Amino acid sequence: MTTPFLQAEKLERRVGDTQILAGIDLSVNKGEVVGLIGPSGSGKSSLLRAIAGLDPLTGGRVLVEGRTPTPGDGTIGMVFQQFNLWPHLTAGENVALALRLVRKMPRAEATERARAMLDRVGLLKLADRRPAQLSGGQQQRVAIARTLAMEPRLILFDEPTASLDPELTTEVLDVIRGLAETGMTMLVVSHEMGFVASVASRAAFLDHGRVLVDGPAKAVFRDAEEPRLRRFLSTYLQRVAWAPDPEPVPAADPGPLATFALLQQPAAPEGSTMSLLGLPPAAPPGGFSLLDSMGDPAAPKSPKADG
Amino acid sequence: MSVVSETLWAVARGLPLTVGIWLASVATGLLVGVLVACARHFGGWVVNAALATLVEVVRGVPFVVQAFLLYYGGPFIGLDLTPVVAGWLALSVYAAAYFSEVFRAGFRAIPAGHTEAARLLGLKTNQTITRILLPEMALSVLPALANLAVILIKETAILSIITVPELTFTVSGVGSATFAFAQTMAALALSYWLLVELTAWAARRLERGIARATLGTA
């Protein structure tokens, strides 16, 4: 049995009377992409921040390849919801700064590498723009390039698309999806369930500072036996399923359980919530799925959920 | 000599020292002010509390009293300073206390994530301060800093009380000698106002320069 790449043991964080992390165990193997889902305040972001070493723990420990990482030692890179680009520097300078100051690269070499990184996220042409002159999606891609440039062993994504509109979300998720294909080990906190279901190899559902469900991503979404997870997913599905309906009066609400009946159907009909989640067996060739439409601008804009 | 020429001559003699002490104090005050703000922002609560107390003391005592205490009280603790050095030191300390609060506001206005991103990428605290935080806040703290610099120009007048031969000292000397108080005071007022306008103009130019450098826009 090999030791996991990342091992978080009994992570606890308490601030005053609030238990933010209540004994979280999580181990991640090299190359795994783990999606962290759960309601707001469940501890997803806190878990990432604890793993990154940004917030002090009141118990437990984090090991990456057997040793405790410290912020800035090059082990862990992080991408934030608010991008956190430095506004006075251009996109290229944002990527190059740490290469020059930390890696001690000569300016020309750092600039060259920064351009290569920006090219990787499709932003080479915008290297001389400042963050304020970029869209949110572009800013987040610069932030990803900035993180990639330092070649971290593990990348933590803290709701990378939560402040982006659906189109900008797509361009950022495509970049993350591409990274997953290169075998990068990643932890992704996201409310994009379809994305987590299709990209993550594993999903963990958190609530009140605990991991309630942890398993292969598709199983976590499809089986969803844990009652809290069912409730969480059903509200999400209802929102997604009826969101594209242009009519002011939505289709009759079948209730959470009916939604789950759909979710659990092994081969759901085209346009169902099942395919909305983008789970492969449910998406017939040519059929609509949330993920397909995200990748293809020509996909139908207003599919009706036939629940 | 007429009162006018005597006054002009007094202005010419006093102005260089006023400008000199002022510039030196602004420079020292900015440097110490940045250091104090950094120490308070990054140094933990003990350092923060200690420096906060110091800042409160300096802000809580009128500048004229501080200048007096330093110049006339200094010798009792072995600090026997010339008027000019005492004036520069007193004004620098005074300036540093106020400047530090402006920089502290600057630090606080920057989202914590900008520092966290730098930290995770491996930048040291001093690199984060000089390469990220200070340039990032430069444009927003400049008006407040310029405002203080302008106030400090006029505070230099107080140094005449500890016999620094600056503008107020030389010009009011003419007033006492000739009893032309109104004329000399008017000249004094005009001189300070001119300095203030020059400073404001320089600050506006600097603001444009910083905007170009940090935002890429004029």
Side-chain angles (χ1 to χ4, degrees):
Chain A
M1 176 180 157
T2 53
T3 40
F5 177 75
L6 163 76
Q7 187 144 31
E9 295 171 0
K10 302 202 167 32
L11 298 191
E12 253 187 66
R13 178 163 157 76
R14 173 180 280 281
V15 176
D17 286 338
T18 315
Q19 186 89 40
I20 294 167
L21 300 176
I24 286 189
D25 289 302
L26 187 73
S27 60
V28 179
N29 291 319
K30 183 127 195 63
E32 245 186 329
V33 178
V34 179
L36 299 173
I37 57 170
S40 298
S42 59
K44 310 179 298 293
S45 293
S46 299
L47 175 59
L48 285 198
R49 293 179 57 84
I51 290 171
L54 289 176
D55 290 339
L57 289 166
T58 46
R61 59 174 187 168
V62 174
L63 295 174
V64 175
E65 296 185 312
R67 28 175 229 100
T68 303
T70 51
D73 66 2
T75 314
I76 297 178
M78 188 157 172
V79 174
F80 302 85
Q81 178 181 348
Q82 298 302 335
F83 327 136
N84 288 331
L85 293 181
W86 304 309
H88 61 294
L89 300 177
T90 64
E93 289 165 343
N94 262 279
V95 181
L97 188 67
L99 294 173
R100 286 176 52 205
L101 298 182
V102 181
R103 290 288 175 82
K104 312 288 181 203
M105 268 187 202
R107 182 188 286 266
E109 193 186 339
T111 306
E112 199 43 52
R113 184 162 164 74
R115 291 174 63 83
M117 287 298 136
L118 287 175
D119 195 21
R120 200 166 152 188
V121 296
L123 290 176
L124 182 55
K125 280 186 183 154
L126 304 180
D128 294 327
R129 295 249 189 118
R130 289 209 165 60
Q133 299 159 325
L134 299 172
S135 74
Q138 290 165 343
Q139 288 187 55
Q140 191 60 295
R141 281 147 68 195
V142 173
I144 292 172
R146 181 174 70 173
T147 302
L148 283 179
M150 299 301 282
E151 299 173 310
R153 320 262 296 132
L154 166 71
I155 302 185
L156 311 175
F157 289 88
D158 187 7
E159 305 200 25
T161 61
S163 41
L164 302 177
D165 73 34
E167 287 172 330
L168 298 181
T169 294
T170 305
E171 64 183 48
V172 170
L173 293 184
D174 284 346
V175 169
I176 300 176
R177 193 190 309 275
L179 267 181
E181 283 159 11
T182 67
M184 177 64 82
T185 315
M186 304 192 283
L187 256 69
V188 185
V189 168
S190 182
H191 292 301
E192 298 291 330
M193 300 301 155
F195 174 76
V196 171
S198 71
V199 173
S201 43
R202 246 172 75 202
F205 174 68
L206 276 75
D207 193 33
H208 293 296
R210 289 173 205 283
V211 176
L212 293 189
V213 181
D214 180 354
K218 290 175 180 63
V220 165
F221 284 107
R222 188 164 294 127
D223 305 340
E225 279 169 0
E226 208 286 326
R228 183 67 187 91
L229 172 60
R230 286 175 76 106
R231 224 166 46 239
F232 178 73
L233 285 180
S234 71
T235 47
Y236 175 80
L237 281 174
Q238 285 176 57
R239 187 171 58 77
V240 173
W242 285 288
D245 196 325
E247 303 297 324
V249 181
D253 184 347
L257 284 181
T259 311
F260 263 92
L262 273 175
L263 180 65
Q264 290 178 310
Q265 229 169 290
E270 181 179 343
S272 75
T273 46
M274 188 66 180
S275 60
L276 279 169
L277 247 187
L279 297 180
F288 170 77
S289 95
L290 185 58
L291 290 164
D292 291 342
S293 77
M294 282 161 70
D296 175 13
K301 281 277 190 289
S302 296
K304 295 246 179 153
D306 50 2
Chain B
M1 260 207 292
S2 70
V3 169
V4 173
S5 58
E6 242 181 282
T7 305
L8 283 178
W9 172 234
V11 168
R13 273 181 301 142
L15 199 60
L17 192 57
T18 288
V19 172
I21 288 193
W22 170 66
L23 283 178
S25 302
V26 166
T28 315
L30 281 173
L31 185 68
V32 177
V34 165
L35 293 175
V36 168
C38 289
R40 288 188 68 181
H41 193 73
F42 291 98
W45 74 271
V46 179
V47 175
N48 182 23
L51 288 172
T53 311
L54 271 175
V55 168
E56 284 313 302
V57 169
V58 173
R59 291 199 306 181
V61 177
F63 180 60
V64 61
V65 177
Q66 289 180 44
F68 248 90
L69 277 175
L70 184 66
Y71 183 62
Y72 294 108
F76 290 103
I77 56 163
L79 257 179
D80 207 346
L81 304 170
T82 66
V84 171
V85 172
W88 161 71
L89 199 59
L91 197 59
S92 296
V93 169
Y94 187 75
Y98 286 96
F99 280 139
S100 76
E101 285 295 282
V102 174
F103 285 115
R104 220 161 58 79
F107 279 122
R108 299 203 68 140
I110 295 176
H114 294 199
T115 305
E116 288 170 355
R119 193 171 160 215
L120 281 173
L121 289 168
L123 270 72
K124 304 222 170 19
T125 303
N126 62 332
Q127 293 173 326
T128 306
I129 292 169
T130 56
R131 308 303 292 267
I132 293 167
L133 301 180
L134 290 178
E136 194 177 331
M137 75 173 71
L139 195 59
S140 45
V141 295
L142 186 72
L145 295 178
N147 187 39
L148 272 175
V150 158
I151 291 173
L152 290 171
I153 292 179
K154 292 168 290 175
E155 293 292 336
T156 57
I158 284 177
L159 299 179
S160 62
I161 292 172
I162 59 166
T163 70
V164 175
E166 47 67 73
L167 198 58
T168 303
F169 187 88
T170 54
V171 175
S172 59
V174 175
S176 311
T178 61
F179 298 103
F181 291 113
Q183 295 92 320
T184 49
M185 283 300 137
L188 202 52
L190 209 64
S191 306
Y192 282 112
W193 182 58
L194 216 73
L195 276 181
V196 168
E197 282 309 310
L198 263 171
T199 309
W201 172 80
R204 278 195 299 273
R205 288 203 52 146
L206 192 60
E207 199 171 323
R208 274 202 298 275
I210 293 176
R212 212 170 300 126
T214 62
L215 301 179
T217 53

